[in-house]
Amino acid sequence: MLHAESLACARGERVVLRDISLTLTPGKLLGVLGANGAGKTSLLATLAGEIPAHGGSLQLDGRALHAYSTAELARRRAVLPQSPSLSFDLGVREVVAMGAYPFGNLPASRLETLIARVLALADATVLSTRRYLALSGGEQQRVQFARVLLQTLAARAEDEYRVLMLDEPTASLDPRHQVQLLQGVARIAREEGVASLLVLHDVNLAAQWCDRLMLLTRGACVAQGTPREVLTPENLETVYGLPAQVIPHPAQADTPLVLFASRVEA
């Protein structure tokens, strides 16, 4: 499993993470929440091996993460950044198929099966004959989500521990596709045993879909646990600087619903 203990990270002279401990468990979704600049993206990038840790321990299956090559990491974890960029005018199916690159030449029949599956999970099947650069921002996000799903699923026959990391994946999506994306992540996690890390801004979406949450502020963990344990008025005001009311969700038992103050005092 991917395990961090007392993790610290710096960007230049600025410490962006300190004393972070977590484990990404197969089949479970961990949601990372916090205000802008809290260190959410830095945490994801450090766990993905994209920026180095400057303290603590970070291990994948008992081996230091920095000991893995880039190619090895690409076969063990898939990352969807905040703003995935692609300037080449490729077809949608070609973009999705990029997720198979770390695994060499997959059999054509298996690749086609995977493409069809992930396009359906991302509600992007209708986009499959179009050109990527002609899509809207939200449509491109769904295609990129399909790509990282394919990367995540391509090696499942090897029964390896895999991690799916998504940085604000719902930001450019309408409410329907926000729910569909999170539903797809949850389905893949449970059916395939994939460990998932999601950086989110919407605390209520996180409460509904994530098994556990981590609240960050100024690079430190304020709380980690189940949504009910983490989303308290005290924790939320500490992180967001707004009074919050937490009530039971009217449609989902045991799920908290967060209501923030409608005004910010001058």
Side-chain angles (χ1 to χ4, degrees):
M1 291 190 290
L2 186 62
H3 177 71
E5 187 71 33
S6 301
L7 188 68
C9 179
R11 290 182 182 264
E13 297 297 319
R14 184 168 63 93
V15 175
V16 293
L17 295 172
R18 60 184 184 278
D19 198 26
I20 301 292
S21 298
L22 61 83
T23 298
L24 297 182
T25 305
K28 301 296 183 181
L29 279 65
L30 173 66
V32 180
L33 298 167
N36 293 334
K40 303 183 297 297
T41 294
S42 294
L43 175 60
L44 185 147
T46 305
L47 295 175
E50 295 175 350
I51 59 176
H54 285 75
S57 171
L58 179 57
Q59 296 188 333
L60 175 59
D61 287 346
R63 177 184 172 194
L65 193 72
H66 64 75
Y68 286 81
S69 69
T70 301
E72 287 177 315
L73 284 178
R75 292 190 290 270
R76 303 296 301 276
R77 58 96 179 100
V79 181
L80 182 63
Q82 282 186 36
S83 302
S85 59
L86 180 64
S87 57
F88 300 104
D89 188 21
L90 299 175
V92 163
R93 294 177 68 84
E94 293 174 280
V95 175
V96 175
M98 288 179 178
Y101 285 1
F103 305 98
N105 295 319
L106 289 181
S109 59
R110 175 161 165 74
L111 180 58
E112 288 302 311
T113 298
L114 284 171
I115 290 174
R117 182 182 180 189
V118 299
L119 284 171
L121 282 168
D123 193 30
T125 303
V126 70
L127 306 175
S128 63
T129 59
R130 296 181 56 188
R131 309 297 293 181
Y132 180 81
L133 294 182
L135 302 178
S136 70
E139 290 170 335
Q140 289 183 355
Q141 184 76 347
R142 285 151 56 195
V143 171
Q144 292 287 353
F145 175 53
R147 175 184 60 79
V148 296
L149 284 181
L150 193 148
Q151 184 181 349
T152 302
L153 295 175
R156 286 312 299 164
E158 299 174 16
D159 198 29
E160 283 187 321
Y161 172 82
R162 301 299 309 283
V163 182
L164 178 62
M165 300 182 178
L166 308 175
D167 194 354
E168 298 186 30
T170 61
S172 61
L173 301 180
D174 59 59
R176 172 174 172 249
H177 286 106
Q178 289 179 356
V179 170
Q180 284 188 320
L181 183 145
L182 294 170
Q183 196 171 42
V185 176
R187 182 175 175 181
I188 289 298
R190 270 123 199 162
E191 291 181 359
E192 304 286 345
V194 172
S196 300
L197 176 87
L198 298 92
V199 172
L200 296 167
H201 269 304
D202 189 318
V203 296
N204 288 314
L205 279 178
Q208 291 176 51
W209 289 101
C210 296
D211 301 290
R212 295 179 63 81
L213 299 176
M214 173 181 281
L215 270 179
L216 293 180
T217 187
R218 297 191 180 98
C221 178
V222 172
Q224 183 177 181
T226 66
R228 289 185 68 182
E229 292 169 339
V230 169
L231 298 178
T232 67
E234 296 77 16
N235 288 340
L236 291 163
E237 185 161 7
T238 295
V239 169
Y240 295 105
L242 276 177
Q245 183 181 7
V246 182
I247 63 174
H249 196 288
Q252 293 183 309
D254 297 325
T255 298
L257 179 67
V258 176
L259 305 172
F260 284 107
S262 59
R263 292 186 178 183
V264 177
E265 296 297 329

